[in-house]
Protein backbone atom coordinates (compact mmCIF):
# COMPACT_ATOMS: atom_id res chain seq x y z
CA UNK A 1 0.00 0.00 0.00
CA UNK A 2 2.81 2.32 0.83
CA UNK A 3 4.34 1.73 -2.59
CA UNK A 4 1.11 2.64 -4.36
CA UNK A 5 0.84 5.99 -2.47
CA UNK A 6 4.48 6.78 -3.28
CA UNK A 7 3.93 6.07 -6.97
CA UNK A 8 0.91 8.38 -7.12
CA UNK A 9 2.85 11.23 -5.44
CA UNK A 10 5.73 10.85 -7.89
CA UNK A 11 3.29 10.89 -10.83
CA UNK A 12 1.61 14.09 -9.63
CA UNK A 13 4.98 15.84 -9.17
CA UNK A 14 6.10 14.79 -12.65
CA UNK A 15 2.88 16.07 -14.28
CA UNK A 16 3.24 19.40 -12.47
CA UNK A 17 6.85 19.79 -13.59
CA UNK A 18 5.98 19.04 -17.21
CA UNK A 19 3.09 21.57 -17.18
CA UNK A 20 5.40 24.30 -15.77
CA UNK A 21 7.95 23.72 -18.51
CA UNK A 22 5.29 24.02 -21.25
CA UNK A 23 3.88 27.32 -19.89
CA UNK A 24 7.30 28.95 -19.52
CA UNK A 25 8.21 27.96 -23.09
CA UNK A 26 5.13 29.61 -24.49
CA UNK A 27 5.87 32.84 -22.63
CA UNK A 28 9.36 32.97 -24.05
CA UNK A 29 8.04 32.63 -27.57
CA UNK A 30 5.51 35.50 -27.12
CA UNK A 31 7.93 38.02 -25.63
CA UNK A 32 10.01 39.92 -28.28
CA UNK A 33 13.70 39.83 -27.88
CA UNK A 34 15.12 42.67 -25.89
CA UNK A 35 17.06 45.12 -28.12
CA UNK A 36 20.04 46.77 -26.73
CA UNK A 37 19.74 50.58 -26.64
CA UNK A 38 22.32 52.31 -28.84
CA UNK A 39 25.04 54.13 -27.10
CA UNK A 40 25.30 57.81 -28.21
CA UNK A 41 28.56 59.44 -27.60
CA UNK A 42 28.38 63.24 -27.34
CA UNK A 43 31.08 65.15 -29.22
CA UNK A 44 33.71 66.62 -27.04
CA UNK A 45 32.87 70.18 -26.04
CA UNK A 46 35.45 72.77 -25.38
CA UNK A 47 36.16 73.42 -21.76
CA UNK A 48 33.99 76.29 -20.64
CA UNK A 49 35.46 78.80 -18.28
CA UNK A 50 34.24 78.41 -14.72
CA UNK A 51 33.41 81.15 -12.31
CA UNK A 52 33.07 81.48 -8.59
CA UNK A 53 34.28 78.72 -6.31
CA UNK A 54 34.51 76.24 -9.21
CA UNK A 55 37.01 78.38 -11.05
CA UNK A 56 40.41 76.76 -11.18
CA UNK A 57 43.40 78.83 -10.08
CA UNK A 58 45.18 80.40 -13.03
CA UNK A 59 48.31 78.72 -14.20
CA UNK A 60 51.30 80.84 -14.95
CA UNK A 61 52.77 80.37 -18.42
CA UNK A 62 56.21 81.44 -19.39
CA UNK A 63 56.19 84.75 -21.29
CA UNK A 64 58.75 86.18 -23.72
CA UNK A 65 59.83 89.76 -24.01
CA UNK A 66 59.75 91.71 -27.28
CA UNK A 67 63.48 91.25 -27.72
CA UNK A 68 63.13 87.44 -27.45
CA UNK A 69 60.41 87.16 -30.11
CA UNK A 70 61.86 86.20 -33.51
CA UNK A 71 60.25 87.97 -36.45
CA UNK A 72 59.90 86.24 -39.88
CA UNK A 73 62.07 87.55 -42.66
CA UNK A 74 60.42 90.29 -44.72
CA UNK A 75 59.19 89.11 -48.10
CA UNK A 76 58.36 91.20 -51.12
CA UNK A 77 54.65 91.95 -51.28
CA UNK A 78 53.00 90.04 -54.09
CA UNK A 79 51.20 92.39 -56.47
CA UNK A 80 47.93 90.85 -57.62
CA UNK A 81 47.59 90.57 -61.33
CA UNK A 82 45.17 92.98 -62.95
CA UNK A 83 41.92 91.26 -63.70
CA UNK A 84 40.28 92.53 -66.86
CA UNK A 85 36.91 94.09 -66.11
CA UNK A 86 33.98 92.66 -67.97
CA UNK A 87 31.19 94.70 -69.48
CA UNK A 88 28.74 93.21 -67.00
CA UNK A 89 30.83 94.41 -64.02
CA UNK A 90 31.33 97.94 -65.29
CA UNK A 91 28.24 100.03 -65.78
CA UNK A 92 29.02 102.68 -68.29
CA UNK A 93 26.92 105.81 -68.56
CA UNK A 94 24.70 105.64 -71.64
CA UNK A 95 26.17 107.60 -74.51
CA UNK A 96 24.16 110.60 -75.58
CA UNK A 97 22.56 110.39 -78.99
CA UNK A 98 23.61 112.84 -81.68
CA UNK A 99 20.44 114.13 -83.37
CA UNK A 100 20.34 114.37 -87.13
CA UNK A 101 21.06 117.91 -88.42
CA UNK A 102 17.90 119.87 -89.15
CA UNK A 103 19.21 121.53 -92.30
CA UNK A 104 17.63 119.77 -95.28
CA UNK A 105 15.86 117.25 -93.05
CA UNK A 106 12.59 117.71 -94.95
CA UNK A 107 14.34 116.90 -98.23
CA UNK A 108 15.71 113.68 -96.74
CA UNK A 109 12.21 112.71 -95.58
CA UNK A 110 10.65 113.50 -98.94
CA UNK A 111 9.77 109.89 -99.72
CA UNK A 112 7.54 109.73 -96.65
CA UNK A 113 5.84 113.00 -97.45
CA UNK A 114 5.23 111.99 -101.06
CA UNK A 115 2.67 109.39 -99.92
CA UNK A 116 0.16 112.23 -99.81
CA UNK A 117 0.74 113.27 -103.43
CA UNK A 118 -1.79 110.85 -104.95
CA UNK A 119 -4.79 112.88 -103.78
CA UNK A 120 -3.41 116.29 -104.62
CA UNK A 121 -0.34 116.64 -106.80
CA UNK A 122 -0.86 113.77 -109.22
CA UNK A 123 -4.59 114.40 -109.40
CA UNK A 124 -4.09 118.05 -110.35
CA UNK A 125 -1.41 117.28 -112.92
CA UNK A 126 -3.62 114.64 -114.51
CA UNK A 127 -6.52 117.07 -114.84
CA UNK A 128 -4.41 119.96 -116.14
CA UNK A 129 -2.80 117.74 -118.77
CA UNK A 130 -6.08 117.12 -120.60
CA UNK A 131 -6.34 118.33 -124.15
CA UNK A 132 -9.42 120.45 -123.47
CA UNK A 133 -9.74 122.35 -120.18
CA UNK A 134 -13.49 123.01 -120.09
CA UNK A 135 -15.71 123.98 -117.18
CA UNK A 136 -16.17 120.37 -116.12
CA UNK A 137 -12.39 119.94 -115.86
CA UNK A 138 -12.00 123.05 -113.71
CA UNK A 139 -14.77 121.83 -111.47
CA UNK A 140 -12.85 118.57 -111.02
CA UNK A 141 -9.74 120.56 -110.18
CA UNK A 142 -11.72 122.44 -107.55
CA UNK A 143 -13.16 119.21 -106.16
CA UNK A 144 -9.67 117.67 -105.92
CA UNK A 145 -8.42 120.63 -103.90
CA UNK A 146 -11.42 120.53 -101.56
CA UNK A 147 -11.00 116.80 -101.03
CA UNK A 148 -7.39 117.44 -100.04
CA UNK A 149 -8.60 119.75 -97.21
CA UNK A 150 -7.24 122.92 -98.83
CA UNK A 151 -10.37 124.86 -97.83
CA UNK A 152 -13.02 126.69 -99.83
CA UNK A 153 -11.51 130.17 -100.08
CA UNK A 154 -7.94 129.03 -100.86
CA UNK A 155 -9.32 126.59 -103.45
CA UNK A 156 -11.25 129.30 -105.27
CA UNK A 157 -8.20 131.56 -105.31
CA UNK A 158 -5.92 128.83 -106.67
CA UNK A 159 -8.35 127.74 -109.39
CA UNK A 160 -8.85 131.32 -110.56
CA UNK A 161 -5.11 131.95 -110.85
CA UNK A 162 -4.52 128.65 -112.64
CA UNK A 163 -7.25 129.34 -115.17
CA UNK A 164 -5.86 132.79 -115.91
CA UNK A 165 -2.26 131.66 -116.33
CA UNK A 166 -3.11 128.61 -118.44
CA UNK A 167 -5.26 130.76 -120.72
CA UNK A 168 -2.71 133.56 -121.05
CA UNK A 169 0.43 131.44 -121.32
CA UNK A 170 -1.11 128.62 -123.34
CA UNK A 171 0.69 126.09 -121.13
CA UNK A 172 0.25 122.48 -122.22
CA UNK A 173 3.39 120.33 -121.76
CA UNK A 174 3.69 118.27 -118.56
CA UNK A 175 6.87 120.09 -117.48
CA UNK A 176 5.29 123.50 -118.00
CA UNK A 177 2.17 122.48 -116.11
CA UNK A 178 4.22 121.06 -113.24
CA UNK A 179 6.24 124.28 -112.98
CA UNK A 180 3.09 126.39 -113.08
CA UNK A 181 1.34 124.29 -110.44
CA UNK A 182 4.41 124.40 -108.20
CA UNK A 183 4.59 128.20 -108.32
CA UNK A 184 0.92 128.60 -107.47
CA UNK A 185 0.99 126.07 -104.60
CA UNK A 186 4.09 127.66 -103.05
CA UNK A 187 2.43 131.05 -103.32
CA UNK A 188 -0.73 129.66 -101.75
CA UNK A 189 1.19 128.16 -98.80
CA UNK A 190 3.20 131.32 -98.31
CA UNK A 191 6.92 131.42 -98.99
CA UNK A 192 7.62 134.67 -97.12
CA UNK A 193 6.21 133.70 -93.70
CA UNK A 194 8.56 133.51 -90.71
CA UNK A 195 8.74 129.81 -89.91
CA UNK A 196 11.60 130.03 -87.42
CA UNK A 197 11.04 128.50 -83.98
CA UNK A 198 12.16 131.34 -81.69
CA UNK A 199 14.40 129.44 -79.30
CA UNK A 200 17.39 131.75 -78.83
CA UNK A 201 18.34 132.94 -75.34
CA UNK A 202 17.77 136.66 -74.67
CA UNK A 203 18.47 139.15 -71.87
CA UNK A 204 15.36 138.18 -69.89
CA UNK A 205 16.54 134.55 -69.79
CA UNK A 206 15.96 131.43 -71.88
CA UNK A 207 13.41 131.36 -74.66
CA UNK A 208 10.18 129.77 -73.40
CA UNK A 209 8.18 127.53 -75.73
CA UNK A 210 4.76 126.20 -74.70
CA UNK A 211 3.54 123.10 -76.55
CA UNK A 212 -0.26 122.78 -76.52
CA UNK A 213 -2.82 120.50 -78.13
CA UNK A 214 -5.59 118.00 -77.46
CA UNK A 215 -5.17 114.41 -76.34
CA UNK A 216 -3.85 111.93 -78.87
CA UNK A 217 -2.11 114.26 -81.33
CA UNK A 218 1.39 113.21 -80.22
CA UNK A 219 2.11 116.33 -78.18
CA UNK A 220 4.57 114.86 -75.65
CA UNK A 221 6.39 112.98 -78.40
CA UNK A 222 6.55 116.16 -80.45
CA UNK A 223 8.03 118.02 -77.46
CA UNK A 224 10.73 115.38 -77.14
CA UNK A 225 11.49 115.46 -80.86
CA UNK A 226 11.59 119.26 -80.79
CA UNK A 227 14.21 119.03 -78.04
CA UNK A 228 16.32 116.95 -80.43
CA UNK A 229 15.83 119.55 -83.18
CA UNK A 230 17.05 122.32 -80.88
CA UNK A 231 19.98 120.29 -79.52
CA UNK A 232 21.02 119.52 -83.09
CA UNK A 233 21.07 123.28 -83.70
CA UNK A 234 23.36 123.83 -80.71
CA UNK A 235 20.78 124.83 -78.07
CA UNK A 236 20.91 123.91 -74.37
CA UNK A 237 17.42 122.73 -73.49
CA UNK A 238 15.43 122.23 -70.26
CA UNK A 239 12.14 120.32 -70.41
CA UNK A 240 9.12 121.03 -68.22
CA UNK A 241 6.76 118.08 -67.72
CA UNK A 242 3.60 120.06 -66.97
CA UNK A 243 1.29 117.32 -68.29
CA UNK A 244 0.43 115.93 -64.84
CA UNK A 245 -2.94 114.44 -65.79
CA UNK A 246 -1.81 111.73 -68.19
CA UNK A 247 -0.15 108.72 -66.60
CA UNK A 248 3.55 108.31 -67.47
CA UNK A 249 3.67 111.54 -69.50
CA UNK A 250 6.52 112.86 -67.34
CA UNK A 251 8.42 109.56 -67.65
CA UNK A 252 8.02 109.65 -71.42
CA UNK A 253 9.31 113.22 -71.65
CA UNK A 254 12.21 112.49 -69.31
CA UNK A 255 13.28 109.58 -71.49
CA UNK A 256 13.36 111.88 -74.53
CA UNK A 257 15.45 114.38 -72.58
CA UNK A 258 17.96 111.83 -71.30
CA UNK A 259 18.74 110.74 -74.85
CA UNK A 260 20.15 114.15 -75.74
CA UNK A 261 21.29 115.39 -72.32
CA UNK A 262 18.35 117.70 -71.60
CA UNK A 263 17.22 117.96 -68.00
CA UNK A 264 13.52 117.41 -67.19
CA UNK A 265 11.75 119.30 -64.40
CA UNK A 266 8.76 117.34 -63.16
CA UNK A 267 6.37 117.14 -60.22
CA UNK A 268 3.95 114.69 -58.63
CA UNK A 269 1.23 113.09 -60.72
CA UNK A 270 -1.87 115.25 -60.56
CA UNK A 271 0.15 118.26 -59.38
CA UNK A 272 -0.34 121.87 -60.42
CA UNK A 273 0.82 122.26 -64.06
CA UNK A 274 1.37 126.00 -63.68
CA UNK A 275 3.71 125.43 -60.72
CA UNK A 276 5.79 122.88 -62.66
CA UNK A 277 6.01 125.20 -65.66
CA UNK A 278 7.14 128.01 -63.35
CA UNK A 279 9.84 125.79 -61.79
CA UNK A 280 11.03 124.65 -65.22
CA UNK A 281 11.62 128.23 -66.35
CA UNK A 282 13.29 129.02 -63.02
CA UNK A 283 15.61 126.05 -63.49
CA UNK A 284 16.35 127.11 -67.06
CA UNK A 285 17.40 130.55 -65.82
CA UNK A 286 19.64 129.02 -63.13
CA UNK A 287 21.34 126.67 -65.59
CA UNK A 288 21.78 129.29 -68.28
CA UNK A 289 19.73 127.28 -70.78
CA UNK A 290 18.90 128.60 -74.22
CA UNK A 291 15.39 127.16 -74.40
CA UNK A 292 12.76 125.84 -71.98
CA UNK A 293 10.16 123.54 -73.58
CA UNK A 294 6.98 123.13 -71.52
CA UNK A 295 4.74 120.18 -72.36
CA UNK A 296 1.22 121.05 -71.23
CA UNK A 297 -1.65 118.67 -70.56
CA UNK A 298 -3.75 117.50 -73.50
CA UNK A 299 -6.78 119.65 -72.99
CA UNK A 300 -10.04 118.80 -74.66
CA UNK A 301 -11.17 121.89 -76.50
CA UNK A 302 -14.74 121.28 -75.34
CA UNK A 303 -13.90 121.64 -71.62
CA UNK A 304 -13.84 125.30 -70.64
CA UNK A 305 -12.26 124.73 -67.20
CA UNK A 306 -9.26 122.92 -68.62
CA UNK A 307 -8.78 125.55 -71.30
CA UNK A 308 -8.82 128.25 -68.62
CA UNK A 309 -6.12 126.34 -66.78
CA UNK A 310 -3.97 126.45 -69.90
CA UNK A 311 -4.29 130.22 -69.84
CA UNK A 312 -3.19 130.14 -66.21
CA UNK A 313 -0.02 128.21 -67.13
CA UNK A 314 0.89 130.91 -69.62
CA UNK A 315 0.24 133.73 -67.13
CA UNK A 316 2.32 132.08 -64.40
CA UNK A 317 5.24 131.45 -66.75
CA UNK A 318 5.17 135.09 -67.84
CA UNK A 319 6.15 136.12 -64.30
CA UNK A 320 9.69 135.13 -65.31
CA UNK A 321 9.50 136.81 -68.68
CA UNK A 322 7.69 136.64 -72.03
CA UNK A 323 6.61 133.40 -73.66
CA UNK A 324 8.44 133.32 -76.99
CA UNK A 325 6.48 130.56 -78.74
CA UNK A 326 3.15 128.81 -78.33
CA UNK A 327 3.15 125.84 -80.68
CA UNK A 328 -0.16 124.15 -81.39
CA UNK A 329 0.20 120.45 -82.27
CA UNK A 330 -2.46 119.17 -84.69
CA UNK A 331 -3.05 115.70 -86.08
CA UNK A 332 -3.01 116.17 -89.87
CA UNK A 333 -5.32 113.19 -90.34
CA UNK A 334 -8.22 114.88 -88.50
CA UNK A 335 -8.80 117.33 -91.36
CA UNK A 336 -11.42 119.98 -90.72
CA UNK A 337 -11.90 118.86 -87.10
CA UNK A 338 -8.37 120.06 -86.43
CA UNK A 339 -9.41 123.54 -87.54
CA UNK A 340 -12.10 123.62 -84.83
CA UNK A 341 -9.50 122.72 -82.23
CA UNK A 342 -7.13 125.36 -83.58
CA UNK A 343 -9.80 128.06 -83.36
CA UNK A 344 -10.59 127.33 -79.69
CA UNK A 345 -6.94 127.21 -78.63
CA UNK A 346 -6.28 130.50 -80.37
CA UNK A 347 -8.93 132.11 -78.19
CA UNK A 348 -7.18 131.03 -74.98
CA UNK A 349 -3.51 131.58 -75.84
CA UNK A 350 -1.80 133.46 -78.63
CA UNK A 351 -0.73 130.70 -81.02
CA UNK A 352 2.53 131.61 -82.80
CA UNK A 353 3.11 128.44 -84.82
CA UNK A 354 1.66 125.11 -85.84
CA UNK A 355 3.12 121.60 -85.73
CA UNK A 356 1.38 119.12 -88.04
CA UNK A 357 1.96 115.49 -87.06
CA UNK A 358 1.19 112.24 -88.92
CA UNK A 359 1.57 113.89 -92.30
CA UNK A 360 3.24 110.83 -93.81
CA UNK A 361 0.26 108.50 -93.95
CA UNK A 362 -3.31 109.14 -95.03
CA UNK A 363 -3.16 112.86 -94.23
CA UNK A 364 -4.10 115.26 -96.99
CA UNK A 365 -1.49 117.88 -97.73
CA UNK A 366 -4.03 120.66 -98.18
CA UNK A 367 -4.47 120.93 -94.40
CA UNK A 368 -1.27 122.98 -94.36
CA UNK A 369 -2.99 125.73 -96.33
CA UNK A 370 -6.30 125.53 -94.47
CA UNK A 371 -4.89 125.75 -90.95
CA UNK A 372 -2.64 128.67 -91.83
CA UNK A 373 -5.60 130.56 -93.27
CA UNK A 374 -7.71 129.73 -90.21
CA UNK A 375 -5.23 130.97 -87.62
CA UNK A 376 -3.17 133.41 -89.59
CA UNK A 377 0.02 131.79 -88.26
CA UNK A 378 2.51 129.63 -90.17
CA UNK A 379 3.16 125.92 -90.02
CA UNK A 380 6.65 125.70 -88.53
CA UNK A 381 7.24 121.96 -88.07
CA UNK A 382 5.78 118.78 -89.57
CA UNK A 383 5.99 115.21 -88.32
CA UNK A 384 6.65 112.59 -90.98
CA UNK A 385 6.92 109.36 -89.04
CA UNK A 386 7.58 107.71 -85.69
CA UNK A 387 11.38 107.93 -85.79
CA UNK A 388 13.26 110.14 -83.33
CA UNK A 389 14.41 112.51 -86.09
CA UNK A 390 11.23 112.54 -88.16
CA UNK A 391 10.23 116.05 -87.07
CA UNK A 392 11.35 118.53 -89.71
CA UNK A 393 11.25 122.32 -90.12
CA UNK A 394 8.61 123.16 -92.69
CA UNK A 395 9.93 124.32 -96.06
CA UNK A 396 7.21 125.27 -98.58
CA UNK A 397 9.30 124.51 -101.66
CA UNK A 398 10.36 121.04 -100.51
CA UNK A 399 6.83 120.32 -99.34
CA UNK A 400 5.29 121.15 -102.74
CA UNK A 401 7.99 119.18 -104.58
CA UNK A 402 7.06 116.12 -102.55
CA UNK A 403 3.37 116.61 -103.32
CA UNK A 404 3.58 116.96 -107.08
CA UNK A 405 6.60 114.69 -107.63
CA UNK A 406 9.31 115.04 -110.24
Amino acid sequence: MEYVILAVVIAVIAIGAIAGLVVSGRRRQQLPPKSQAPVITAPPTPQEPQVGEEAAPPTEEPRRTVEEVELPEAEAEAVPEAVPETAAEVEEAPALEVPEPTAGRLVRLRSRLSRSQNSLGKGLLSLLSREHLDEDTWEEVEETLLTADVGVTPTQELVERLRTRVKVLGTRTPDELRGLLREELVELIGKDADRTVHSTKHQAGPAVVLVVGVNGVGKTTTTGKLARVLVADGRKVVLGAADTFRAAAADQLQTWGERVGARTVRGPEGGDPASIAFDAVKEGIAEGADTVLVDTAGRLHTKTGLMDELGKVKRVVEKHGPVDEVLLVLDATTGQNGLVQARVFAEVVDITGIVLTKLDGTAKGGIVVAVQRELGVPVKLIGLGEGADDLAPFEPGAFVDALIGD
Side-chain angles (χ1 to χ4, degrees), residues 16-168:
I18 292 171
L21 290 175
V22 171
V23 171
S24 64
R26 287 181 179 176
R27 287 180 179 175
R28 287 178 183 176
Q29 289 179 356
Q30 291 176 356
L31 293 176
K34 295 182 180 180
S35 58
Q36 188 174 0
V39 180
I40 301 175
T41 305
T45 57
Q47 185 67 28
E48 297 183 358
Q50 297 177 344
V51 295
E53 296 178 354
E54 296 179 356
T59 56
E60 294 186 1
E61 295 181 357
R63 299 181 179 179
R64 294 183 293 175
T65 62
V66 175
E67 291 79 3
E68 295 174 345
V69 176
E70 296 181 0
L71 298 176
E73 296 182 3
E75 296 181 359
E77 249 182 60
V79 180
E81 295 181 1
V83 180
E85 296 176 331
T86 61
E89 295 172 349
V90 181
E91 293 185 0
E92 297 181 357
L96 296 179
E97 298 179 9
V98 180
E100 184 180 340
T102 57
R105 185 181 286 189
L106 183 57
V107 176
R108 293 191 294 273
L109 298 173
R110 179 174 171 179
S111 61
R112 297 181 182 178
L113 181 58
S114 62
R115 297 174 190 173
S116 302
Q117 70 178 336
N118 292 333
S119 62
L120 183 57
K122 285 186 176 180
L124 291 176
L125 286 174
S126 175
L127 292 172
L128 295 174
S129 299
R130 290 181 179 178
E131 185 175 354
H132 298 289
L133 297 178
D134 52 16
E135 287 298 324
D136 292 338
T137 303
W138 287 114
E139 287 182 5
E140 290 184 46
V141 170
E142 187 172 339
E143 184 180 349
T144 301
L145 291 168
L146 291 173
T147 305
D149 286 334
V150 173
V152 177
T153 302
T155 293
Q156 292 174 348
E157 293 176 5
L158 180 57
V159 170
E160 189 61 32
R161 289 201 302 266
L162 285 173
R163 291 185 70 165
T164 301
R165 295 192 64 178
V166 169
K167 185 177 180 180
V168 172

Side-chain angles (χ1 to χ4, degrees), residues 210-243:
L210 295 184
V211 183
V212 302
V214 300
N215 296 304
V217 296
K219 183 173 45 56
T220 300
T221 300
T222 298
T223 306
K225 291 182 179 182
L226 179 55
R228 295 178 66 89
V229 169
L230 297 177
V231 169
D233 289 339
R235 305 281 195 272
K236 182 178 180 181
V237 179
V238 171
L239 298 173
D243 185 355

Side-chain angles (χ1 to χ4, degrees), residues 202-395:
H202 41 70
Q203 291 183 350
V208 179
V209 179
L210 295 184
V211 183
V212 302
V214 300
N215 296 304
V217 296
K219 183 173 45 56
T220 300
T221 300
T222 298
T223 306
K225 291 182 179 182
L226 179 55
R228 295 178 66 89
V229 169
L230 297 177
V231 169
D233 289 339
R235 305 281 195 272
K236 182 178 180 181
V237 179
V238 171
L239 298 173
D243 185 355
T244 60
F245 297 100
R246 186 172 67 86
D251 294 335
Q252 182 183 357
L253 188 64
Q254 183 171 347
T255 300
W256 278 103
E258 289 173 350
R259 292 178 181 178
V260 293
R263 183 178 177 185
T264 302
V265 178
R266 55 186 296 178
E269 185 175 343
D272 182 16
S275 175
I276 296 172
F278 182 87
D279 291 341
V281 178
K282 181 179 178 181
E283 190 66 29
I285 295 173
E287 292 189 4
D290 297 297
T291 314
V292 177
L293 295 178
V294 180
D295 176 30
T296 62
R299 268 67 178 182
L300 293 174
H301 64 280
T302 55
K303 295 187 177 181
T304 307
L306 293 177
M307 294 300 293
D308 291 342
E309 187 174 319
L310 178 60
K312 175 188 172 184
V313 171
K314 186 173 183 291
R315 291 192 301 271
V316 169
V317 169
E318 286 175 337
K319 293 181 179 180
H320 286 298
V323 173
D324 298 85
E325 287 276 7
V326 179
L327 297 177
L328 174 62
V329 181
L330 294 175
D331 184 341
T333 62
T334 59
Q336 296 298 316
N337 186 43
L339 300 183
V340 178
Q341 300 170 11
R343 191 181 305 114
V344 177
F345 274 94
E347 294 174 358
V348 180
V349 290
D350 297 327
I351 305 296
T352 60
I354 302 162
V355 183
L356 281 175
T357 62
K358 307 176 186 179
L359 200 56
D360 61 321
T362 59
K364 301 165 185 178
I367 191 66
V368 173
V369 177
V371 74
Q372 289 186 148
R373 289 294 186 93
E374 181 68 31
L375 296 182
V377 295
V379 172
K380 294 191 172 183
L381 298 161
I382 56 175
L384 299 171
E386 298 180 358
D389 292 318
D390 288 344
L391 186 70
F394 183 71
E395 304 167 19

